């Protein structure tokens, strides 16, 4: 039973779809928080959105591309979780910075947003771990978040209306 569950969790399409769905929700929350001037929540949700979307993109190639140097986690994503000492819901994945680097290699156009996406990840960490909200470059980070997310969404052939929902027109305008 555990082996089948492990295999199902790391089925290529299932993993990609779960990551994409969670990213979509976080992305829409991020935009809503930005518009409501709730900047701490914007930073957290935007960073979650981009990290999960990047992992979804990597998982379309193979789920092992989101694993961070942990043999037990590799066993799970290679459908050999029965040998793992780690629970399937507790695999070790790459951090946001590594997601960005890997996605830049797949989509060089993301390099244009590299600096501000790294700031987004750092500001998210500051908001979560220190309760500190950095106000610098807020508008630029918002615009970079929309543009970079759109680039990945387009590359994955997800209609922007599906991903951004009620905010699709706003995203197109930016």
């Amino acid at each position: 039973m555990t082996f089948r569950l492990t295999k199902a969790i790391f089925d290529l399409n299932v993993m990609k779809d779960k990551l994409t769905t969670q990213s979509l929700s976080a992305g829409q929350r991020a935009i809503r928080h930005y518009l409501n001037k709730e900047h701490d929540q914007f930073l957290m949700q935007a960073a979650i959105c981009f990290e999960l979307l990047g992992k979804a993109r990597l998982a379309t190639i193979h789920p092992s591309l989101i694993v961070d140097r942990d043999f037990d986690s590799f066993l799970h994503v290679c459908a050999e979780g029965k040998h793992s000492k780690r629970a399937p819901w507790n695999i070790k994945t790459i951090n946001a910075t590594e997601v960005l680097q890997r996605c830049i290699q797949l989509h060089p156009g993301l390099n244009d947003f590299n600096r501000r996406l790294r700031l987004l990840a750092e500001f998210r960490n500051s908001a979560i771990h220190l309760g500190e909200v950095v106000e610098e470059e807020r508008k630029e980070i918002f615009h970079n978040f929309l543009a970079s997310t759109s680039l990945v969404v387009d590359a994955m052939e997800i209609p922007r209306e599906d991903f951004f929902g009620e905010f699709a027109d706003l995203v197109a305008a930016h």
Side-chain angles (χ1 to χ4, degrees):
M1 182 73 166
T2 302
F3 178 66
R4 286 180 186 216
L5 173 65
T6 302
K7 236 178 149 173
I9 288 174
F10 296 104
D11 175 82
L12 180 70
N13 291 322
V14 171
M15 176 179 265
K16 179 190 77 78
D17 291 346
K18 283 181 180 181
L19 290 166
T20 302
T21 299
Q22 292 299 318
S23 174
L24 173 155
S25 296
Q28 291 179 22
R29 283 191 305 270
I31 295 169
R32 189 171 293 109
H33 288 305
Y34 182 83
L35 295 174
N36 290 334
K37 299 184 184 333
E38 300 165 343
H39 303 295
D40 60 334
Q41 294 300 311
F42 160 69
L43 293 169
M44 288 186 268
Q45 295 302 317
I48 289 167
C49 171
F50 192 82
E51 182 173 343
L52 293 177
L53 183 63
K55 287 178 180 178
R57 173 61 184 104
L58 294 167
T60 62
I61 298 170
H62 193 273
S64 65
L65 295 180
I66 70 167
V67 173
D68 187 25
R69 298 174 285 173
D70 178 72
F71 184 64
D72 288 309
S73 297
F74 279 118
L75 287 171
H76 280 296
V77 299
C78 293
E80 288 296 326
K82 64 184 177 189
H83 301 291
S84 179
K85 297 174 184 171
R86 181 180 299 284
W89 49 264
N90 191 26
I91 68 167
K92 297 296 178 190
T93 62
I94 56 177
N95 64 30
T97 304
E98 185 62 24
V99 168
L100 177 59
Q101 286 312 115
R102 292 180 187 192
C103 286
I104 286 173
Q105 189 167 341
L106 297 175
H107 305 288
L110 283 173
N111 201 42
D112 295 341
F113 311 108
N114 189 0
R115 185 173 92 57
R116 289 211 171 94
L117 288 173
R118 285 177 180 273
L119 277 177
L120 174 63
E122 290 172 13
F123 290 172
R124 171 203 154 262
N125 290 343
S126 178
I128 289 174
H129 300 291
L130 300 173
E132 182 71 31
V133 179
V134 181
E135 299 291 331
E136 298 170 14
E137 300 191 50
R138 180 179 55 234
K139 185 176 182 180
E140 292 82 5
I141 288 173
F142 179 68
H143 288 257
N144 277 250
F145 163 69
L146 297 179
S148 60
T149 302
S150 295
L151 191 150
V152 177
V153 165
D154 293 347
M156 293 177 68
E157 299 180 353
I158 301 169
R160 287 188 186 185
E161 296 77 24
D162 292 351
F163 192 87
F164 294 107
E166 67 183 283
F167 302 111
D169 291 337
L170 172 86
V171 171
H174 284 275

